[in-house]
Amino acid sequence: MNIKNNRLKLIKSALVVSPLLLLLSGCFDNDKESAKVPPIDVVEPEPTPAEPLVTTLVEAASKANKRIGTALSHGVLSNNETDYLDIVKKEFNYVTPENAGKWGSIQTSTSDVWDFDALDSMIDFVEENDMAFKGHALVWHRQAPNFVNGDVTPEDLTTLINAHIDVTAARYSGQIVAWDVANEVMGDDANYRDSVFFAKLNKSFIADAFIRAHAADPKAKLFYNDYSIDNVNAKSDAVLTMVTELVDADVPIHGVGFQMHLDASNAPSTQQMTENFQRFVDLDLDVNISEIDVRLSSLPWDQVTKLAVQQQVYHRAVNACMNVERCDAVTIWGFTDKYSWIDGEFGPDDPLIYTADYQRKPAYFAIADGFMGIEADASGVMPNLIANGNFEIATDGWTTLDATALRSTINKKNGITSLIVTSTDTAKAKASMDITGLLRANSVYDFEAWVMSANESTLASSATVILECVSEQANTIEVNSAVASNTAFTQLTGTLTVPDCELAAATLMIEGPAVSETIYLDAVSLRPQVLLPNTDGFGENLLTNSDFEIDASGWEGYDTSEIAITTTKVFAGKQSLVGTARTQEYQGPSTNILSLVESGQTYQLFARTAISEGSAQVKATISATCSDGVKYLGTGATNANSTDWSLIAGQVTLPTCAMSDAILYFEGPAVGIDIYVDNVTFHAKEKNLGPNVVTNSDFEQNTDGWSVWGGTLTSSTNYANTGNRSALHSDRTGTWQGPVFNLLPYAEAGKTYEVTTYARIENADSDLLNITLKTLCEGDTEADASYTQHGTITATNGDWTKLTGSFVLPDCALTSAFVYFDGPAIGVNIYIDSASITGEITVDPDNLFTNSTFESGVNGWATWGANIESSTDFAHTGEKSALVNSRTNDWQGPVFDFLGRGKPNTTYDMSGWIRVAGSESENVSINIKQSCEGGSAVYSDAGPAVTVSNSEWTLVSGTFTTPDCELTELAVYFSNAAVGVDMYLDDAVLKLASIE
């Protein structure tokens, strides 16, 4: 029951009756008996019916008078994957064929044969499910038939285009609502693309294609379609000029499709997209978002934050479409990360609105919120980690006292819907959400929600978080409380500080004021105050002064420039660091990192930066001084300005030389412009270490494998760090004497090694103990031997102390490599135990596969339409391999994009260890996809197929030669296993072919 609405009805009734009664009462004398007034029937106005709830994207789009579309994969459609098809039928009312409608898919062999089977089946599907269909794409330089090439004459090419349009568009006349007629005819340089069409026909083919398509299907809307025109830029200006010429020439063009293959790290704002759309609408054209997906892999945050930023980008795009009346549709290019072209084109990513296992992502709710008229976050606003805080389409993630959380369209803060948070006679109204996975330790979040009472009373509602750290009791943190009005929504806001602990559980709870008091909840957000970069694979911050909240210790001006603590511009906290008095562009804030770094090691940098005026690039650079001079290493860069803080994120690998100095500094803007920095962090890459090469590390039996250069080495029961024994070095006659391990049999030049042991001493209370490395290169004499120390501790006679260090072996032909523990005074006995020397596992520098073992994931690899992941099911070496599953075509398998690495007219050897699951044996081959500029893709085998099994690993190898042309596509992949069979790949190798 809506108490508020009933109360308002009573008030309205009183306002209708009272004036009439007053009028009638004035007709009688007070001295006379009042006449009886006949009862007046008060007719209440019919209440405004509540809007129906929105439950699908189709319903949301329909309310906005738009269509919501997806690119449909014929391969998945024909495979009849139920989960996929159920979502298509439920959530979309507009379909574009992902590939089945392209010219090369329809005419696969000769110019007089058409194959419409795939496209026909898609038309049948959309008609059976009451959807609209958009044809894609009649004229496109990619995925054209093989006979459309540089050898064709202009006359023959015109004939081919006309025949294709006449036959294809006419076949579906009346069934297709729109066509992408010309696709991507404008190049990235804002000039007409140098395609076979332009080379043979100049730009006339564009207008001719529209005229021909209109003649073949007069009722279909005809669109031009292109990418990288979502913002006002040189390319969109060029397209605008081209389209204007077509309109002025009365060419039957009806609209422009904006592909919007966006990168979340640099996506345009709502305003930028809106202004750009409007330019085309002003030409009396329709517009639509024709192929949106949003890449997030380039964002330097954790996955939760990446998904929240992706949600912002999708929301802004839909807002832009909503802002322009003649934007008629939003089409997502696919919908599930399981099947996305992005992985094959750009590398592994999660660009769509459903996960690979068909779960709604935050971006899904962005689409609904946008269609419901909710404004997206402005640029620069921290992302909302609560994906479904507006309740416009569902209650995902929320629980209430009701068995199913309920929504209402009667009262709402924004959009058309809020959450009804009910109570009972014994329990307060309560809405809760598990936010464990959203929070990071030692972080602060801004919380906001809007509440409204459904009852007469106006009492305080509250927001709390029940937070539990591992091995600790749960703690209830009150975020804030507010008195909820029963006539309007009231803001409930506060901050949540997460302790520095390992989180076990965290629950957000919005609670009503009392039992039997129901509330409405809407517009809930939880935003981090600071975005913390993702440092997975890297260690802790090495810099002791990163935020400058106390002083500038450890920092100075590079060269002759100066630094100061400032409060003028601050990213986080109360202070930042500013570099001033810059008389050279390379000057700026700097810090010496020599004592923090190791030669040959990889590091990751994050820093926030701003400048005093204008906009300019700010670069982070490391100057590393080696014996052969100073090396300047770029460590990241960003376009900075004077109004906002920008992020510098980068990685750098230091040289393998013995560095005498290493300085991190910021540079770039013009002389006289101050550089501000804040929240600077510097992280060492975690090393992928191999097995311990010390076979006798605990000395439980003897000291085999160890030696000494003077004195006596024995296995002793006097002390033991683990087990019952340790190694004892006694009778020492020199400080340089200690237990020695010969590393030469295991040594690899230029490789990094980690050394660990536990040590204690005897005959002294304490003394210094070192890790020392002795090396000789080929041609050196003993006098040339290099002795370097790589770790020191103060060892005692009372307990064991851990001693660690690391080093990079010289990049030479080694003839000697010894690791030993020395340093204490003569006569002091040394004990060591639990010794370990591990070498970093390195990648073969000649292997062109940047990720060949998949131990840290499948970075660099993709699959065309299936799923690829790093798996522990099987491994040829190490612990993991690459698994490709959900295969719907035999050509699907692990794919490596070789473009940019491969050279024309060059021969390569390729191999990989393969096994299968789901079949006893399969034939697997290595295949190549390559395209030359202006030509179509050519597929070839690198060698004969090899039979592989489900019980052991089999080496599949081959050789191929790239064509002598300007390559536009070059990918290598393993394929041919039957549909549904899983493929595993490990230890893949791609090298220049050996010359005999």
Side-chain angles (χ1 to χ4, degrees), residues 391 395-406 419-422 429-434 507-510 521:
F391 312 107
T395 60
D396 291 25
W398 293 90
T399 58
T400 65
L401 296 181
D402 292 298
T404 301
L406 303 175
L419 182 70
I420 304 173
V421 188
T422 55
K430 188 182 301 182
S432 60
M433 169 179 276
D434 183 351
T507 302
L508 170 65
M509 188 164 59
I510 293 94
L521 175 66

Side-chain angles (χ1 to χ4, degrees), residues 483-566:
V483 174
S485 166
N486 62 1
T487 59
F489 275 84
T490 301
Q491 187 183 37
L492 181 59
T493 183
T495 59
L496 168 65
T497 301
V498 180
D500 189 6
C501 71
E502 183 181 351
L503 289 176
T507 302
L508 170 65
M509 188 164 59
I510 293 94
E511 194 171 49
V515 298
S516 302
E517 298 280 339
T518 295
I519 61 173
Y520 297 97
L521 175 66
D522 205 359
V524 186
S525 64
L526 185 68
R527 305 176 189 269
Q529 289 189 352
V530 176
L531 293 182
L532 298 175
N534 181 22
T535 57
D536 289 350
F538 289 79
E540 296 296 322
N541 179 21
L542 298 175
L543 302 179
T544 56
N545 186 9
S546 292
D547 56 15
F548 316 108
E549 291 302 298
I550 299 175
D551 55 29
S553 59
W555 291 79
E556 60 185 4
Y558 191 67
D559 195 25
T560 61
S561 63
E562 300 174 2
I563 59 165
I565 292 295
T566 181

Side-chain angles (χ1 to χ4, degrees), residues 741-748 817:
F741 182 82
N742 184 7
L743 184 62
L744 187 62
Y746 315 97
E748 292 185 34

